[in-house]
Amino acid sequence: MRATTILLERLLAAGMGEVDGVAPVAGGAAAVAGIATRRDGPPVFVKAFADGPADDGVFVAEAEGLTALRELGGVPTPEVLRADRGLLVLSVLHPRPPSEIFWERLAHLLAAMHLNTTHPRFGWHHDNWLGRRRQVNTWHDNGHAFFAEHRLLRWLGEPRVEAALDAEDRAALERLCDRLPDLLPDRPACLTHGDLWTENILATADGRPALIDPAVSYMWAEVDLAHVWSTSPPPEARRFFDVYADLTSLDDDWPARLPIVQLRQHLAVLAQFDDDWGAADQIRAVLAPFRPRS
């Protein structure tokens, strides 16, 4: 069934009958999405799972994450118009402008969110979702243990991960996790978007940066930085990282740490999609120093 047909059927089932049509939009890999035009109001963004949601609370958790980013983090997000088992309806955002000023503004917004939302523990008050897989957010006092258990080792039981990584790969990941306190500095937890690839960065009508599709938790700020870094930011983003580093007083070694931090996202991609976009190769490259020497 075509994505537009699925979305139109879900809108009609939800009682939103004044819909003229739905135009598909590209971007998300886990769900189908489109822009619905309405006779009784402005266009809206709609999203659904083609074969039903993974859980009743997927879109409710996403809506809660958008509210947290906006109200706790001070970051613009779309207005949530409806969030239920089968459908998410949001106000429409705009493509981000191709300007360095936009990315510098984003650096200020992200830095302010990370600096102003520090939390004594790692996690969130309930689990939520990264794509179509559960993101476990059980509270933990230790960031390295939380990251190892709930952001890295958590993926080893997934069928696609088991098929792609051999026993040596899995053992190397376990060794890396054992050494995390030596590899990554002890940073405080703060509110993080959690899925901040470049496609989730849009703009408001007046050109301000806005974020969509979060998987929020209180975690290391570098989880967000690593995801922007590794998902092909455009040339105009070149100042983003320097501005963010200056605002947050990052040490000079931060770029070298990001491949380890980004392992979490590569494992999540490998677990969920047949086309892993090179994730398995990137995982193996990061794990290479942790394999036993022959």
Side-chain angles (χ1 to χ4, degrees):
M1 187 181 294
R2 292 176 56 201
T4 52
T5 303
I6 293 167
L7 294 170
L8 185 58
E9 288 182 353
R10 300 284 171 84
L11 286 166
L12 294 174
M16 301 181 70
E18 298 298 312
V19 177
D20 288 326
V22 181
V25 297
V32 294
I35 303 293
T37 54
R38 303 182 295 163
R39 292 187 293 279
D40 58 345
V44 293
F45 173 87
V46 294
K47 182 162 75 168
F49 290 111
D51 54 354
D55 182 87
D56 288 358
V58 175
F59 291 143
V60 174
E62 182 173 339
E64 181 197 51
L66 291 170
T67 300
L69 292 175
R70 182 174 61 255
E71 296 185 356
L72 301 177
V75 175
T77 63
E79 180 185 358
V80 178
L81 304 175
R82 185 184 185 95
D84 58 28
R85 186 180 188 277
L87 189 68
L88 181 68
V89 184
L90 306 172
S91 61
V92 175
L93 291 174
H94 299 264
R96 59 177 183 264
S99 77
E100 291 188 7
I101 293 297
F102 173 89
W103 283 92
E104 290 184 23
R105 288 176 177 170
L106 178 63
H108 280 268
L109 275 173
L110 199 63
M113 181 177 80
H114 290 158
L115 292 171
N116 295 330
T117 60
T118 56
H119 195 276
R121 306 191 76 191
F122 294 82
W124 192 246
H125 53 276
H126 57 71
D127 293 350
N128 47 27
W129 299 85
L130 182 63
R132 299 200 64 177
R133 293 295 187 275
R134 181 177 293 275
Q135 176 169 272
V136 178
N137 293 318
T138 306
W139 290 112
H140 208 298
D141 294 326
N142 184 294
H144 295 104
F146 178 87
F147 189 70
E149 181 179 353
H150 297 315
R151 297 295 184 262
L152 297 182
L153 298 176
R154 167 263 180 274
W155 298 104
L156 288 184
E158 294 283 345
R160 284 189 174 92
V161 175
E162 288 189 338
L165 302 183
D166 62 22
E168 271 197 16
D169 294 326
R170 295 191 290 274
L173 180 62
E174 291 170 352
R175 291 188 194 97
L176 180 149
C177 287
D178 288 340
R179 290 189 53 195
L180 278 177
D182 302 321
L183 300 169
L184 301 176
D186 188 13
R187 302 286 195 193
C190 65
L191 180 65
T192 55
H193 177 284
D195 195 9
L196 197 58
W197 69 310
T198 50
E199 293 298 319
N200 285 341
I201 302 167
L202 298 174
T204 62
D206 58 358
R208 292 175 297 143
L211 303 182
I212 61 169
D213 204 12
V216 298
S217 67
Y218 288 107
M219 189 52 217
W220 295 319
E222 288 180 19
V223 166
D224 286 342
L225 192 67
H227 209 173
V228 180
W229 178 271
S230 67
T231 52
S232 302
E236 58 267 21
R238 61 187 183 86
R239 285 273 299 148
F240 166 83
F241 299 100
D242 291 339
V243 171
Y244 179 92
D246 288 344
L247 292 169
T248 57
S249 301
L250 277 180
D251 59 276
D252 292 339
D253 292 334
W254 66 265
R257 296 193 294 269
L258 296 192
I260 293 175
V261 177
Q262 189 63 4
L263 266 177
R264 170 258 194 174
Q265 198 68 28
H266 292 323
L267 286 161
V269 168
L270 185 59
Q272 298 186 62
F273 305 108
D274 290 327
D275 182 354
D276 70 9
W277 300 283
D281 290 338
Q282 294 180 75
I283 291 166
R284 293 189 192 96
V286 175
L287 294 180
F290 302 93
R291 292 187 179 87
R293 296 180 181 178
S294 56

